[in-house]
Amino acid sequence: AEQTNDQIKYRVTHTVGDRCRIIRILNADALEDNDKYLQVEVEILQDKDENEDVDHIHEEMITYTNECFAIFVDLQVRLNETVRFNPGVVNEFNVDRDGLWKAISLWKSYMTQITIQEEKKLQANIASIVKRHFVRQGRPIDNEAMRVNFDDLPPAVQHRLNVETRRFQRDVDSLLAGPY
């Protein structure tokens, strides 16, 4: 990490074996402790189409996915989305064997930026609700940052803030719950 200015933390080599289904986690505490290896009980999955030639199906799915991504990026541009892919990335996007992990990383970065955008919207909505409250109370408001104790706000304002926070959490949860 020191040699790469914290750009690379670990370099690993691994071999991928059979596909499997996780039946149960044997040491769940390892999920919170980086000094332990996670141990699981698994069921090995057997491919039923092992002897079938499915290359043409894979090629069709790769082409279809790449075309869908290009349409998605075009729609982002036409709709002037705040967070969007650069149209040039379409030429680099590929979900074939070599490009899959790059595509996954690209999508993860996109979802992170969407989440950050939603958080900024939440912060702006909260500030607006609190400022409106103070204006109604006849307190002068300027553009400087202000500290407000949630418990000092009236129940109606607290309720509106809770509604906004729950909306944000619901929206972010639905964004992150996708099949990616």
Side-chain angles (χ1 to χ4, degrees):
E2 292 173 66
Q3 295 174 346
T4 63
N5 197 24
D6 284 333
Q7 294 299 307
I8 298 174
K9 294 287 187 182
Y10 300 98
R11 181 181 294 210
V12 298
T13 302
H14 65 277
T15 303
V16 177
D18 296 326
R19 293 183 312 121
C20 63
R21 175 179 293 119
I22 296 175
I23 296 172
R24 68 185 175 110
I25 297 174
L26 301 175
N27 61 337
D29 59 316
L31 292 168
E32 298 178 10
D33 185 348
N34 290 335
D35 293 330
K36 295 181 182 179
Y37 287 100
L38 183 64
Q39 297 176 345
V40 296
E41 180 181 345
V42 300
E43 169 192 359
I44 303 296
L45 301 175
Q46 300 297 320
D47 288 327
K48 296 185 185 343
D49 62 355
E50 196 172 304
N51 296 323
E52 290 183 43
D53 180 14
V54 293
D55 286 346
H56 67 284
I57 295 171
H58 287 160
E59 289 300 320
E60 288 174 12
M61 291 309 299
I62 289 169
T63 300
Y64 176 73
T65 304
N66 292 343
E67 288 171 355
C68 287
F69 181 71
I71 291 168
F72 179 70
V73 171
D74 182 58
L75 283 171
Q76 287 181 316
V77 170
R78 285 196 276 149
L79 296 172
N80 199 27
E81 291 290 322
T82 305
V83 176
R84 61 179 177 245
F85 289 103
N86 180 318
V89 80
V90 170
N91 299 327
E92 300 172 20
F93 186 85
N94 199 339
V95 292
D96 64 5
R97 183 179 300 273
D98 296 327
L100 179 62
W101 291 109
K102 183 177 177 183
I104 289 170
S105 177
L106 186 66
W107 190 259
K108 184 177 184 295
S109 295
Y110 170 71
M111 297 307 296
T112 299
Q113 292 305 312
I114 290 285
T115 302
I116 290 168
Q117 177 191 18
E118 289 300 310
E119 190 172 315
K120 287 178 181 176
K121 285 181 188 175
L122 171 65
Q123 291 170 353
N125 290 345
I126 287 173
S128 175
I129 290 167
V130 171
K131 284 181 180 180
R132 258 183 299 182
H133 164 68
F134 286 128
V135 166
R136 287 184 186 137
Q137 297 296 314
R139 291 177 59 182
I141 301 295
D142 53 23
N143 287 332
E144 292 184 29
M146 52 193 292
R147 290 194 179 267
V148 177
N149 186 341
F150 181 81
D151 294 330
D152 293 341
L153 295 169
V157 175
Q158 289 180 5
H159 175 73
R160 284 196 298 268
L161 295 175
N162 285 331
V163 167
E164 281 298 314
T165 303
R166 282 193 300 274
R167 181 205 52 80
F168 164 78
Q169 194 60 57
R170 183 193 67 234
D171 290 352
V172 169
D173 287 349
S174 69
L175 280 171
L176 302 178
Y180 29 82

